[in-house]
Amino acid sequence: MARLGNGGGLLLRRLLSQLSRSAQGATLRVSQAPAATYGTSVTSAKVEVNGVRLHYQQTGSGSHAVLLLPGMLGSGQTDFGPQLKSMNKQQFTVVAWDPRGYGKSIPPLRDFPEDFFERDAKDAVDLMQVLKFKKFSLLGWSDGGITALIAAAKNPNLIHKMVVWGANSTVSEEDVKLYNAGNMAKENALPPKLAAIRDVSNWSERARQPMEEMYGHDYFSKTCAAWVDGISQFAQKPNGSICESLLPHINCPTLIIHGEKDPLVPRFHPEYLHKHIKGSQLHLMPEGKHNLHLRFAEEFNRVVEKFLL
């Protein structure tokens, strides 16, 4: 699901501002890029995985490795600042990646073929193997949650535990209409699901600016439109399935977190995941919206760490 919005144009702009501030035969060859440092605790580097130089950040020295998977147009630093900063670094080694075509994993340019979620899942798992993590847990937000579901289903021997939020396993025709219809609210006139993701020229300047600073207007605009086309492909599949048939193959302990005020992902989506992932837990956050891990970072981190340990 798109990572945009939480109950109106104002909240959407706040989310995008947060993003700006927080700013099987694989080819497993490490590219020796020099590591950069964020403060004194987060390192950044690139490695070559499946023919693409993928950017990642890493922090902590714990025995439990955790991979953070960002949402649409997201990167590790923009989407997971509070987790990189505050997760227990004695218990966990935290890795946050930029999927191909996002963040600092450019080139290549982002595209959305029919298997783009499967491609991201393979890249993510292979990245962790390049980094020599034999087993690890997944934390996936929005599109990253979908990627995590696929990765866990296809790699049961590698995934220790999984946490997903803002994720869905299907796309409906109504979803597609909402992605394409209307204009981005200039102030608070429209809730975000009624605002066009495709045409960024209709977004407010405050909503547009952080993404244009990150990517430039052309890349941001073209990628948003391409994402709408990419996610809309799934509405043509039986039951609008993205990864519905894979859910019964997920064997790792799974925590599904849902913000009860998330306007992008109705409650039936997490409830469906909970029903079809055996042994899963569902945790509801009454005030949580789509970006609950940013807005309520302390509570989110506490719940996640308790589950992982």
Side-chain angles (χ1 to χ4, degrees):
M1 175 58 67
R3 58 209 294 281
L4 305 175
N6 298 291
L10 177 59
L11 191 50
L12 174 64
R13 294 195 298 273
R14 288 175 179 169
L15 173 56
L16 290 172
S17 294
Q18 287 170 324
L19 297 177
S20 177
R21 290 195 304 268
S22 301
Q24 271 323 44
T27 302
L28 303 182
R29 181 162 61 87
V30 178
S31 176
Q32 298 295 334
T37 301
Y38 290 85
T40 59
S41 59
V42 181
T43 61
S44 172
K46 286 187 175 184
V47 294
E48 187 166 321
V49 179
N50 299 324
V52 176
R53 284 170 55 80
L54 295 177
H55 178 261
Y56 72 97
Q57 294 154 280
Q58 183 171 324
T59 187
S61 58
S63 59
H64 190 148
V66 178
L67 176 63
L68 310 179
L69 300 97
M72 185 267 282
L73 272 166
S75 64
Q77 184 64 24
T78 58
D79 284 16
F80 293 113
Q83 287 67 51
L84 287 166
K85 179 180 179 181
S86 300
M87 283 189 70
N88 188 317
K89 297 183 182 185
Q90 286 70 50
Q91 297 282 354
F92 303 106
T93 296
V94 181
V95 177
W97 82 309
D98 299 357
R100 61 171 70 197
Y102 287 164
K104 295 182 180 178
S105 293
I106 302 173
L109 302 181
R110 182 68 181 188
D111 62 353
F112 299 92
E114 187 173 295
D115 65 344
F116 74 90
F117 281 120
E118 284 80 2
R119 182 183 64 186
D120 283 350
K122 180 170 174 55
D123 282 350
V125 169
D126 290 345
L127 169 66
M128 293 299 278
Q129 296 202 294
V130 167
L131 299 179
K132 307 302 182 185
F133 295 109
K134 294 181 179 179
K135 198 164 186 176
F136 49 93
S137 293
L138 302 172
L139 268 64
W141 176 35
S142 199
D143 273 17
I146 299 170
T147 301
L149 294 171
I150 295 169
K154 292 192 170 185
N155 301 276
N157 296 327
L158 298 178
I159 309 305
H160 183 43
K161 294 184 178 182
M162 175 170 61
V163 182
V164 296
W165 65 105
N168 49 297
S169 60
T170 61
V171 173
S172 70
E173 289 289 351
E174 185 61 27
D175 288 329
V176 174
K177 291 177 183 177
L178 293 171
Y179 298 149
N180 286 282
N183 292 330
M184 182 63 69
K186 296 297 182 182
E187 294 299 332
N188 299 318
L190 293 174
K193 283 198 78 173
L194 298 180
I197 296 174
R198 178 184 297 277
D199 186 359
V200 300
S201 68
N202 291 316
W203 293 26
S204 71
E205 183 178 354
R206 289 184 63 187
R208 246 186 1 253
Q209 185 177 1
M211 288 298 183
E212 291 182 341
E213 289 178 352
M214 186 188 309
Y215 292 110
H217 174 78
D218 287 348
Y219 191 80
F220 167 47
S221 176
K222 290 176 182 177
T223 303
C224 282
W227 179 87
V228 172
D229 292 336
I231 200 73
S232 298
Q233 298 174 88
F234 298 102
Q236 307 306 316
K237 295 182 178 292
N239 299 320
S241 176
I242 302 173
C243 59
E244 195 175 34
S245 63
L246 293 176
L247 300 182
H249 299 286
I250 296 174
N251 297 319
C252 64
T254 299
L255 174 63
I256 302 152
I257 302 178
H258 179 64
E260 294 199 80
K261 294 185 177 181
D262 187 340
L264 281 174
V265 182
R267 185 165 170 168
F268 73 82
H269 280 302
E271 288 179 343
Y272 186 90
L273 296 178
H274 179 43
K275 179 179 179 181
H276 290 87
I277 300 174
K278 52 184 173 288
S280 63
Q281 301 176 36
L282 177 60
H283 178 84
L284 301 176
M285 294 177 64
E287 297 301 315
K289 299 177 182 178
H290 197 58
N291 65 337
L292 56 86
H293 67 298
L294 299 175
R295 227 147 139 226
F296 302 100
E298 185 175 347
E299 177 184 355
F300 175 87
N301 289 356
R302 183 173 62 250
V303 169
V304 166
E305 289 183 0
K306 181 178 179 181
F307 172 75
L308 292 178
L309 293 174

